[in-house]
Amino acid sequence: MSEASSPSSSSKPAWSARLAERYHLDLPPDLVDWFDSEVWRELGGGEYAIGVDPQVLLGPAPDPIWPALMPPDLLPVVGNGRGDWLCLRVDTEGRVSRIVQWYHGGGDWIPWGRTLAEAIYFDALFERLPGPHRRHALPPEPTPGDARNRDAPFLRWAASHVPPSVRDLPWQDACPPSVADALLDAGACEEAVRCELVQASLVEPLSAVLDPVATQGIHAEWNRVVEWMFDLRRMPAATRQAWGDLFEIDLDGDAQTWGPVREHCGRVIETAPELAWAWELYGYCCHRNGQRLPAIEAYREGALRSVFTDQSIRMRTHWTGHLAAKFSVAMLRDLSPEAVEGSEYLRILAMEDTPERRDTATRYWTAQSRRCLESGDAAAAHAAAVSAGWDLGAGSLTAYGTLLDAVRDSASAAGFASLAELATTHRGCLQSRYAI
């Protein structure tokens, strides 16, 4: 048997210990058990059913890492066989801060749980939550097997690592709101659940009868239609009446409930302030209620978050893409033009949608990182180095060699050993795969 296919033995340290040493990680108990019990060898049962062999992760250039497209603080551990991954997100202390779902179709990511066990439960419970279940920009292919089968290996393993109050939830006959409430009460999968509840609050009748092709005959500007789907209040009264009659749907009622949106986004801002979608929608809730100053503050914060955390297709905020690089900036320019004009960075985000916009943003963050290093603030230099490559994304794949070098060097200077090693590994993948 090859080393990659043979189980760990007493002659070698446990998988978890070897991975912890390789990446300078402080692994939580569920991940220690995940690797050392070797449950990853089995086929999981849900969409994310393929565990990564830890021997692969111990190598210099692990194949599951998508260098450049995948942020350099992520380490993939479970895949769906179609290029999407559940990844460890590592913080500056070498701890796993969240398990995030990373989508290869655009590089977007979102936390699915504090632990891998929670993320596996979310995979099993996703379709039982309220909402339209828009997981990706494109619908996922059918899930192989039954994610809620009691004998599904990953779910069976995860059951011993989730809060007792939700342990039997996959097999209970509970209505969607009850499933969401149970997870939130247990503090499990919080950001992912609230993301679904936000979408559930904003469901409207237009999206059920319209698509980009069919709509061309009645309205050539699909972005405008998406704007109306985002908030029916933005739809002209005459169009609302005409389309209501045409499609035999009620567009006069208050189908969308924005109060819960503000509540959920406010909570996510507290638990995961790095997520753009929460700031953007919180700001919009304030904006539409005439609360100018809180809206401006939220939009400013949203503008500083990576576009890869905005969930713009699922939240239907992508209709502003031709106006600015980020929804927050498009809204802020409408609400407070002077706030955008007074900031070098926001002016970049408000540039015309061309490759030059991304290149200019990368140069901005690279210069910021260099200045922070020169002033002795290595932690800020590292944050800026990451933004150089993963705020809007660099315009060219070849740029990521230099960008990952900067992330590695600034992490080392700041004493972030885990992040430096992850950046080194992502850099090795870039060299191995693309000779960059």
Side-chain angles (χ1 to χ4, degrees):
M1 241 186 230
S2 68
E3 182 181 19
S5 61
S6 63
S8 57
S9 67
S10 58
S11 62
K12 287 185 177 180
W15 291 120
S16 62
R18 295 167 68 187
L19 287 167
E21 180 180 14
R22 160 78 168 84
Y23 292 102
H24 310 286
L25 293 173
D26 179 10
L27 292 174
D30 78 312
L31 280 173
V32 170
D33 186 50
W34 169 264
F35 290 118
D36 296 347
S37 70
E38 302 195 347
V39 67
W40 46 266
R41 291 186 181 277
E42 304 187 62
L43 188 63
E47 179 186 354
Y48 289 84
I50 305 170
V52 178
D53 188 328
Q55 185 65 45
V56 172
L57 298 178
L58 290 169
D63 189 61
I65 290 175
W66 289 50
L69 198 57
M70 186 176 282
D73 58 355
L74 299 189
L75 185 65
V77 291
V78 184
N80 65 0
R82 299 188 290 275
D84 310 318
W85 296 94
L86 298 182
C87 303
L88 314 185
R89 185 166 190 252
V90 179
D91 68 14
T92 58
E93 302 298 320
R95 297 169 301 209
V96 178
S97 63
R98 288 289 192 278
I99 305 298
V100 305
Q101 184 248 16
W102 180 83
Y103 176 50
H104 80 283
D108 295 345
W109 60 267
I110 184 171
W112 268 19
R114 298 167 300 179
T115 66
L116 181 58
E118 285 186 15
I120 288 170
Y121 258 56
F122 184 78
D123 187 25
L125 293 167
F126 168 73
E127 292 185 352
R128 294 184 59 204
L129 291 166
H133 302 148
R134 293 190 296 263
R135 185 176 293 185
H136 304 308
L138 298 174
E141 297 176 22
T143 298
D146 181 2
R148 294 193 288 126
N149 186 328
R150 280 188 180 272
D151 294 324
F154 288 4
L155 195 57
R156 187 176 65 240
W157 167 83
S160 63
H161 294 282
V162 295
S165 61
V166 299
R167 189 165 294 157
D168 294 327
L169 196 57
W171 308 290
Q172 292 174 348
D173 186 18
C175 65
S178 296
V179 173
D181 288 344
L183 289 169
L184 292 180
D185 288 345
C189 319
E190 183 169 357
E191 293 86 16
V193 171
R194 293 189 188 280
C195 181
E196 297 307 312
L197 293 177
V198 165
Q199 294 173 76
S201 292
L202 297 181
V203 167
E204 36 62 44
L206 273 179
S207 55
V209 297
L210 296 180
D211 64 61
V213 176
T215 310
Q216 291 300 315
I218 57 174
H219 203 288
E221 297 182 21
W222 177 247
N223 267 356
R224 181 61 58 84
V225 178
V226 174
E227 176 185 353
W228 299 338
M229 290 177 178
F230 169 70
D231 183 358
L232 289 175
R233 184 189 287 183
R234 304 182 73 90
M235 193 174 193
T239 306
R240 185 184 299 113
Q241 179 64 48
W243 285 24
D245 293 342
L246 177 64
F247 295 110
E248 299 181 344
I249 56 178
D250 181 10
L251 296 175
D252 290 326
D254 191 7
Q256 297 168 310
T257 53
W258 284 89
V261 173
R262 178 170 180 162
E263 178 185 347
H264 292 306
C265 290
R267 179 58 182 163
V268 172
I269 285 168
E270 296 175 359
T271 61
E274 68 274 21
L275 301 179
W277 63 265
W279 288 106
E280 290 181 341
L281 289 177
Y282 185 87
Y284 186 78
C285 288
C286 296
H287 190 168
R288 77 193 300 274
N289 287 339
Q291 297 170 302
R292 186 173 184 274
L293 292 181
I296 290 173
E297 181 180 354
Y299 286 150
R300 283 181 183 275
E301 292 289 342
L304 293 172
R305 272 58 183 182
S306 168
V307 295
F308 300 108
T309 67
D310 64 13
Q311 300 294 316
S312 62
I313 301 295
R314 300 168 74 199
M315 298 300 184
R316 301 204 186 282
T317 53
H318 59 294
W319 57 272
T320 63
H322 65 293
L323 301 173
K326 300 179 180 181
F327 177 84
S328 284
V329 178
M331 293 292 101
L332 185 59
R333 186 165 57 183
D334 177 56
L335 185 61
S336 177
E338 65 278 8
V340 174
E341 289 304 313
S343 164
E344 177 188 359
Y345 173 61
L346 295 181
R347 289 198 305 272
I348 293 170
L349 297 183
M351 289 173 59
E352 185 180 355
D353 185 11
T354 67
E356 178 63 19
R357 185 167 69 186
R358 288 196 295 173
D359 291 340
T360 305
T362 293
R363 289 194 296 270
Y364 171 86
W365 285 117
T366 298
Q368 291 290 109
S369 181
R370 189 180 303 116
R371 282 194 285 269
C372 290
L373 274 179
E374 291 170 353
S375 68
D377 191 345
H382 175 258
V386 172
S387 292
W390 293 271
D391 181 17
L392 301 185
S396 163
L397 182 65
T398 58
Y400 279 94
T402 300
L403 293 172
L404 280 166
D405 287 343
V407 173
R408 176 200 61 210
D409 294 345
S410 57
S412 295
F416 303 156
S418 297
L419 296 178
E421 186 58 34
L422 276 170
T424 299
T425 303
H426 281 240
R427 181 69 177 90
C429 292
L430 192 69
Q431 174 63 42
S432 173
R433 209 157 302 160
Y434 305 112
I436 293 173

